[in-house]
């Protein structure tokens, strides 16, 4: 059974055949670190995470790269709010993205390159395009010449003539309206960030003073947006890779431009398969009220926990429509509850005196085998996590009926069910079956906070000895307490 994937480049579901039969080069277009990540970002992350886990499960050596766009006008627009310069705002949100990713139990990518670290590679690539006659300089900016690349429009299925214009343009600099900037002269223009500014941010002119610039053969300036992913993909993977993934909204212009500039520079196919994650939708009228409160990843993890969120995000295939609402999240809570209870019941029964070596329930054993093959078929069908989830729910139902119908339990059958939950639900879907339950981790955090509060009260009451004892007792449990100006903090 081979994996098939829906390729935006061809518009078809195709057999997946990587360039090297043993390894997969996968690039995910990461986010601009200018705002707290929201559940829409989480949808992309979790699906890419599961893709990488499944490719690894199929035996490929997976090289998975996700970038951070840490140089961008939108970041400059936040100066004064989450940092006092473009760089410090970006650092603030890069850390937040990493924390959010970890809190969703995402596997680590091989590397998370940032634009600010790759300006030399970007300049080299732009130089290559200029030398090859695919780009031209105007007043210190460099533009890609779309008419120089015959296949322009092949990803988004449009012709150059249909594209009116793209990107902000300095009057009269571009030869063709669809040409786009590879390098922009100077810093950031206050007019360009006015639309993105929050009321609490610094005045645009002040914020723009902190925008980073770099020397280049065309003078001081900043990289255009699109060129970064080509440069980082080539630096950390290869000129030609297997899978490039991103949100549906990136097909045009971002990915179209990536294809054009990369293939024009190298003369070889940039990415063989282009996979696009459909955006998460919301019920608009509810956005501001109940949902508005926990729409960021951090708030949603706090409210529902990573397993409910992953269950929610994986209950629809990445290519399908997914809506975030009270109902869909409640459904996910109910599903995760059913799955985790089924798993726990299997574990308890398996470790119970009533599980026997010679009791055989063929119905249970067949159900485990069926769930495994249904899961595999689903994942090989374009990473269909919705169907994979259904296979696990069927497994849960089979475990429940075995336990409800038999007083003497089938030890080996239950053990196989447990393995299936852990390997498929845990290993592939990233749900907490068997390993450290993240619920326990957050409970532990709450308990530590409680003890620290009591310790503060003891200190305020002058009971310093008791306060020190509490700190020592926490340390003996592996909780390192540090007193800061903002109060005590701890590390597990
Ligand atoms: Zn990309
Ligand atoms: Zn990108």
């Amino acid at each position: 059974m081979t994996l098939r994937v829906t390729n935006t480049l061809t518009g078809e579901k195709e057999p997946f055949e990587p360039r090297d039969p043993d390894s997969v080069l996968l690039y995910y277009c990461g986010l601009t670190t200018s705002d707290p990540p929201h559940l829409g970002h989480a949808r992309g992350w979790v699906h890419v995470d599961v893709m990488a886990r499944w490719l690894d499960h199929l035996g490929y050596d997976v090289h998975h790269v996700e970038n951070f766009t840490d140089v961008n006008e939108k970041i400059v627009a936040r100066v004064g709010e989450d940092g006092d310069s473009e760089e410090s705002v970006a650092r603030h949100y890069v850390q937040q993205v990493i924390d959010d990713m970890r809190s969703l139990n995402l596997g680590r990518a091989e590397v998370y390159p940032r634009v600010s670290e790759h300006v030399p590679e970007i300049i080299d690539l732009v130089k290559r395009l200029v030398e090859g006659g695919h780009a031209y300089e105007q007043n210190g900016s460099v533009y890609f010449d779309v008419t120089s690349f015959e296949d322009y429009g092949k990803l988004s299925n449009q012709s150059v003539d249909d594209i009116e214009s793209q990107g902000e343009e300095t009057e009269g600099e571009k030869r063709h309206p669809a040409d786009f900037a590879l390098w922009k002269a100077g810093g950031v223009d206050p007019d360009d960030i006015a639309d993105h500014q929050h009321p609490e941010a610094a005045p645009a002119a002040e914020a723009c003073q902190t925008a980073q610039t770099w020397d280049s053969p065309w003078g001081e300036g900043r990289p255009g947006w699109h060129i970064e992913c080509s440069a980082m993909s080539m630096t950390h993977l290869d000129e030609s890779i297997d899978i490039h993934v991103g949100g549906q909204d990136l097909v045009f212009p971002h990915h179209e431009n990536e294809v054009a500039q990369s293939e024009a520079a190298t003369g070889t196919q940039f990415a063989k398969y282009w996979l696009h994650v459909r955006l998460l939708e919301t019920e608009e009228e509810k956005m501001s009220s109940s949902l508005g409160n926990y729409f960021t990843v951090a708030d949603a993890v706090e409210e529902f926990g990573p397993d409910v969120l992953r269950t929610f995000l994986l209950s629809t295939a990445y290519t399908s429509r997914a809506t975030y609402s009270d109902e869909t999240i409640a459904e996910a809570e109910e599903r995760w509850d059913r799955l985790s209870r089924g798993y726990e019941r299997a574990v308890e029964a398996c470790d119970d005196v009533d599980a026997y070596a010679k009791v055989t329930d063929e119905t249970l054993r067949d159900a485990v085998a069926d769930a495994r093959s249904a899961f595999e078929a689903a994942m090989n069908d374009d990473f269909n996590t919705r169907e994979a989830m259904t296979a696990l729910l069927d497994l849960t139902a089979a475990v429940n009926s075995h336990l409800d119908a038999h007083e003497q339990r089938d030890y080996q059958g239950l053990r196989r069910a447990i393995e299936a939950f852990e390997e498929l639900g845990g290993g592939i879907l990233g749900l907490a079956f068997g390993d450290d339950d993240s619920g326990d981790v957050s409970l532990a955090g709450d308990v530590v906070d409680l003890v620290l509060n009591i310790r503060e009260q003891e200190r305020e009451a002058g009971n310093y000895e008791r306060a020190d004892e509490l700190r020592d007792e926490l340390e003996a449990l592996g909780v390192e307490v540090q007193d800061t100006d903002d109060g005590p903090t701890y590390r597990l």
Side-chain angles (χ1 to χ4, degrees), residues 27-30 67 229-230 244-246 250 254-255 258 270 274:
Y27 186 92
Y28 179 70
C29 247
N67 73 291
C229 286
S230 296
H244 193 112
V245 195
L250 296 180
H254 189 50
H255 289 164
E258 282 184 44
F270 179 48
W274 287 84

Side-chain angles (χ1 to χ4, degrees), residues 451-464:
V451 176
L452 289 176
N453 278 337
I454 294 171
R455 176 170 164 264
E456 282 308 285
Q457 286 163 13
E458 295 287 359
R459 271 154 61 117
E460 277 159 27
N463 303 327
Y464 297 109

Side-chain angles (χ1 to χ4, degrees), residues 57-369:
H57 172 87
L58 293 178
Y60 295 112
D61 188 6
V62 182
H63 300 279
H64 169 195
V65 172
E66 290 192 29
N67 73 291
F68 296 140
T69 297
D70 67 341
V71 176
N72 193 280
E73 286 80 355
K74 286 186 200 151
I75 301 171
V76 178
R78 294 286 175 275
V79 169
E81 205 178 319
D82 302 300
D84 55 12
S85 63
E86 180 181 26
E87 206 183 344
S88 67
V89 172
R91 282 176 60 82
H92 172 85
Y93 284 113
V94 166
Q95 186 64 60
Q96 167 130 39
V97 170
I98 296 168
D99 293 347
D100 286 354
M101 285 176 155
R102 294 287 83 79
S103 74
L104 280 169
N105 190 27
L106 298 180
R108 286 189 180 83
E110 192 164 82
V111 65
Y112 295 101
R114 305 179 201 183
V115 177
S116 61
E117 302 173 279
H118 294 81
V119 176
E121 288 86 351
I122 290 171
I123 290 174
D124 281 350
L125 189 55
V126 177
K127 262 161 72 179
R128 214 163 146 187
L129 287 165
V130 173
E131 282 156 16
H134 293 286
Y136 54 92
E137 192 245 313
Q138 288 282 13
N139 308 323
S141 291
V142 181
Y143 294 97
F144 184 84
D145 175 1
V146 293
T147 62
S148 78
F149 184 67
E150 211 188 335
D151 288 336
Y152 193 82
K154 69 177 170 181
L155 185 71
S156 55
N157 241 323
Q158 49 188 340
S159 81
V160 170
D161 302 325
D162 300 333
I163 300 163
E164 307 255 289
S165 79
Q166 60 170 319
E168 63 269 31
E169 175 173 22
T170 307
E171 201 59 50
E173 273 189 359
K174 291 200 255 175
R175 291 181 192 162
H176 188 286
D179 290 352
F180 56 92
L182 299 168
W183 185 262
K184 298 179 188 174
V188 173
D189 188 324
D191 289 343
D192 292 343
I193 69 165
D195 290 348
H196 302 296
Q197 281 226 306
H198 284 191
E200 314 88 76
E206 228 172 84
C208 289
Q209 296 279 318
T210 76
Q212 302 165 90
T213 57
W214 288 265
D215 279 335
S216 81
W218 317 283
E220 199 168 307
R222 290 161 60 87
W225 172 34
H226 313 295
I227 195 72
E228 63 182 56
C229 286
S230 296
M232 289 187 279
S233 183
M234 290 181 195
T235 302
H236 295 282
L237 295 169
D238 206 342
E239 289 191 347
S240 194
I241 68 165
D242 300 302
I243 306 181
H244 193 112
V245 195
Q248 188 73 47
D249 55 331
L250 296 180
V251 175
F252 184 84
H254 189 50
H255 289 164
E256 189 69 65
N257 291 347
E258 282 184 44
V259 171
Q261 71 210 1
S262 305
E263 298 188 359
T266 66
T268 172
Q269 187 175 45
F270 179 48
K272 192 170 177 189
Y273 303 96
W274 287 84
L275 272 50
H276 288 101
V277 182
R278 226 174 125 162
L279 300 185
L280 183 63
E281 297 171 26
T282 51
E283 292 179 316
E284 256 176 326
E285 70 279 9
K286 289 190 175 175
M287 257 293 283
S288 54
S289 54
S290 61
L291 302 181
N293 305 331
Y294 37 77
F295 200 61
T296 65
V297 172
D299 289 350
V301 168
E302 169 113 21
E303 179 85 19
F304 305 114
D307 295 309
V308 169
L309 284 179
R310 286 187 76 110
T311 301
F312 163 67
L313 294 166
L314 296 172
S315 289
T316 44
Y318 78 95
T319 48
S320 306
R321 183 157 183 234
T323 309
Y324 180 67
S325 69
D326 288 344
E327 287 74 35
T328 55
I329 203 85
E331 254 169 53
E333 279 181 305
E334 197 269 324
R335 278 184 163 205
W336 171 242
D337 199 49
R338 231 189 312 159
L339 289 170
S340 54
R341 272 171 203 264
Y343 169 75
E344 277 160 29
R345 282 192 81 192
V347 169
E348 277 163 26
C350 193
D351 294 342
D352 188 87
V353 66
D354 283 324
Y356 291 95
K358 278 192 153 182
V359 171
T360 304
D361 178 357
E362 288 303 341
T363 314
L364 173 65
R365 295 187 185 193
D366 288 349
V368 175

